[in-house]
Amino acid sequence: MVPQRSPFLSRRLLAAAFAALCALALAACGRDPQAPPAAAVTLGSQNEMPKPAPAAVSEEDILKGTYWPPAKLDGGSARISCEYDYPRFGDGDTLESLDFFSLVDAMSPCQQRGVVRVRYQGKIGAGFTALTQRVAAMAARMEIPTRILDIDSSGGHVEEALRAGDSIAESGWAIWVRENSVCHSACVLVLAAGDTRSIEGKVGIHRLMRDRSTATSRAELSRELRAINQQVRDYLERNGVATAVSDLMMTVANRDLRILTPDELKQYGLDGTNAAQDDLDRIRLARKCGDDFVRRRESFRRAFDAQCMGTGKSFESMPECAEQLQAQFGFPDKTCPGESPADLYARDLPPPLLDEAAAGEGAAEPADGKPAGAAGKNEPPAKADKAAK
């Protein structure tokens, strides 16, 4: 009796035979049976190979061009001024857009003056970061050396404050917290990044939280806080601010606020010249002009602070006062004439705000309607103009 074959087995045998025949046919043509068809490895034509993915473009490189990605101030407002003296001249025009040509229009009047002041009021967020980056990029194009961030902020996103601060630290900003303004919470991180800081308003700190915490227990919250605290400590250290500020923040509940006293601001390195930037400038000058030059320049600066920056001294008198001190400390220096401190102060301080003819008539009306009077509490503090350096 002839055994019956399973139909399923027959189909398997036929499929195996067919696969073997296909493999033999491919081999006869010199083709690898595992090779994918040509269409799978070419793009556009049989001779074109796949192109590597383009490298990521940095924000700095993007801002060197004229097409800037869309960005907007999402938590505050900004005004652009070319003047130091806000009681007399106000805060300038509102910046309506962060696109390239809006910045060109807003900042072009500041080219001749060499000063741009950004009055920002609002939260620290992505829009604020874009604002500082784009104003600095345009100031570099227009060769505007003095950039002032005149800030009034109750805080915002910690991560954006760190991003904005790192950008500010690399682009030569002075930061003002003027009278009736505040700088609280994450804003303190921005303040830390300035080359110089001039504070008349209130600076307050409390515990910093991640923008989007996922903690569900104290242990998880502790790990998150430890991580952000380490980031903040590293950031403060590279910006010449005492890391004790970060530790002090951890002791103040997020719903509370600790206002720092003037003595604490000085002690922690948040007011006046940025210690890290000062060291960097000293290293650069010593390399270029020698150690003796640096020592004499430091002595000059101390004398300038005592004699030219006292209470009641006008802005316009500072360059003249600096020039009178030069000879006492051996300036201008023959080996480094361009680095003489009187030249630096004269370059970085504003020229007279009004000439004699304009002073008698046609004086500018301030934007807030207040009379332009003599020096007083409403006049920008003398140290604020030093901060413009």
Side-chain angles (χ1 to χ4, degrees):
M1 183 174 179
V2 179
Q4 296 294 320
R5 289 182 178 177
S6 165
F8 176 71
L9 181 61
S10 299
R11 285 195 294 271
R12 290 182 63 185
L13 290 172
L14 286 172
F18 181 75
L21 289 173
C22 288
L24 288 171
L26 289 170
C29 297
R31 300 281 298 277
D32 182 354
Q34 300 299 319
V41 295
T42 59
L43 293 173
S45 70
Q46 293 183 350
N47 297 323
E48 185 179 352
M49 296 301 293
K51 296 179 180 179
V57 181
S58 70
E59 184 75 20
E60 183 180 352
D61 289 335
I62 291 173
L63 296 183
K64 289 178 180 177
T66 58
Y67 174 75
W68 291 356
K72 63 179 181 178
L73 288 172
D74 48 6
S77 63
R79 301 172 72 92
I80 299 292
S81 172
C82 309
E83 301 289 346
Y84 292 80
D85 193 343
Y86 50 84
R88 183 178 297 179
F89 294 100
D91 289 323
D93 296 326
T94 300
L95 186 62
E96 301 291 349
S97 170
L98 295 180
D99 66 40
F100 179 84
F101 290 105
S102 292
L103 265 296
V104 169
D105 292 341
M107 294 176 59
S108 290
C110 301
Q111 272 189 288
Q112 183 175 5
R113 182 76 160 143
V115 176
V116 60
R117 177 168 57 85
V118 180
R119 173 62 171 169
Y120 180 77
Q121 295 177 286
K123 294 287 187 179
I124 305 300
F128 171 78
T129 303
L131 170 70
T132 55
Q133 290 175 336
R134 294 176 181 214
V135 170
M138 189 60 70
R141 286 172 182 249
M142 293 183 175
E143 299 182 345
I144 301 173
T146 301
R147 302 134 195 202
I148 302 168
L149 175 60
D150 182 354
I151 194 166
D152 182 10
S153 173
S154 61
H157 298 297
V158 177
E159 285 86 350
E160 286 300 334
L162 295 173
R163 282 188 62 219
D166 281 335
S167 176
I168 287 169
E170 295 300 319
S171 48
W173 287 87
I175 299 181
W176 292 1
V177 183
R178 71 195 203 199
E179 70 281 357
N180 301 321
S181 293
V182 301
C183 183
H184 295 163
S185 187
C187 176
V188 177
L189 302 179
V190 175
L191 178 66
D195 282 6
T196 56
R197 306 79 148 212
S198 179
I199 301 171
E200 293 293 312
K202 302 297 184 183
V203 176
I205 61 172
H206 61 188
R207 184 184 296 232
L208 298 175
M209 308 287 287
R210 285 185 59 185
D211 294 347
R212 296 175 180 85
S213 175
T214 59
T216 59
S217 68
R218 288 186 186 179
E220 290 178 353
L221 179 60
S222 177
R223 285 193 290 271
E224 283 189 359
L225 290 175
R226 194 179 305 118
I228 195 67
N229 186 49
Q230 188 58 53
Q231 279 184 277
V232 170
R233 288 176 67 88
D234 292 344
Y235 171 88
L236 294 174
E237 185 174 18
R238 66 177 174 265
N239 282 292
V241 175
T243 56
V245 173
S246 179
D247 296 332
L248 187 58
M249 286 176 172
M250 295 294 288
T251 68
V252 183
N254 187 263
R255 67 178 180 275
D256 295 329
L257 191 68
R258 161 86 182 276
I259 301 297
L260 298 178
T261 67
D263 286 344
E264 286 176 325
L265 291 168
K266 287 287 187 183
Q267 176 186 346
Y268 294 137
L270 284 167
D271 192 11
T273 301
N274 185 310
Q277 186 63 41
D278 197 43
D279 286 345
L280 189 61
D281 291 342
R282 188 179 294 108
I283 291 169
R284 178 186 64 82
L285 276 175
R287 189 183 302 127
K288 179 179 180 181
C289 304
D291 292 334
D292 177 66
F293 180 97
V294 172
R295 283 192 293 270
R296 285 186 287 115
R297 185 173 180 271
E298 291 303 309
S299 297
F300 174 94
R301 290 180 63 178
R302 288 191 290 271
F304 180 88
D305 289 348
Q307 299 179 38
C308 305
M309 298 287 286
T311 302
K313 298 289 186 181
S314 67
F315 301 150
E316 291 84 351
S317 68
M318 291 179 192
E320 182 181 355
C321 181
E323 187 175 355
Q324 291 174 354
L325 283 174
Q326 282 196 115
Q328 182 180 343
F329 297 96
F331 294 112
D333 189 276
K334 294 182 179 179
T335 58
C336 284
E339 300 290 349
S340 292
D343 295 336
L344 294 174
Y345 280 108
R347 184 175 67 219
D348 294 334
L349 290 169
L353 297 173
L354 293 172
D355 59 25
E356 292 182 3
E361 57 179 301
E365 285 293 329
D368 58 8
K370 296 178 182 178
K377 181 171 177 54
N378 287 332
E379 185 169 310
K383 64 178 180 180
D385 275 88
K386 185 181 178 183
K389 185 175 180 302

